[in-house]
Amino acid sequence: MQHLALHSVVALIVDLPEHQLIRGQVGTIVESWEPGVYEVEFSNDQGETYALVALREDQILPLHYSPGIAAA
């Protein structure tokens, strides 16, 4: 299990119809509740929040904007 930092950008990897969210939507971690559980904020292009959901680590994928070292 990896620890994701506050303000990390993540992508949803599952559909959550109860929150009107679909796989691939991008959000930002705004709180860490317990190991492996994060509050993720989803906003539109104008910065307006349309969903704020507690998600497990296995429901999100961290996004990276710079080169990294591949795992062996």
Side-chain angles (χ1 to χ4, degrees):
M1 180 184 309
Q2 65 181 350
H3 176 73
L4 300 174
L6 290 182
H7 309 294
S8 293
V9 178
V10 297
L12 191 59
I13 59 173
V14 296
D15 291 332
L16 297 174
E18 65 275 21
H19 297 286
Q20 299 180 328
L21 296 170
I22 58 171
R23 185 176 191 262
Q25 286 186 277
V26 176
T28 303
I29 293 177
V30 295
E31 188 63 68
S32 177
W33 292 115
E34 60 184 61
V37 179
Y38 302 94
E39 187 83 13
V40 180
E41 177 182 45
F42 295 89
S43 303
N44 63 22
D45 290 340
Q46 289 75 43
E48 301 165 330
T49 300
Y50 59 84
L52 192 60
V53 184
L55 298 171
R56 296 183 320 270
E57 191 172 75
D58 64 345
Q59 295 175 298
I60 53 178
L61 173 71
L63 300 180
H64 305 281
Y65 293 99
S66 59
I69 299 172

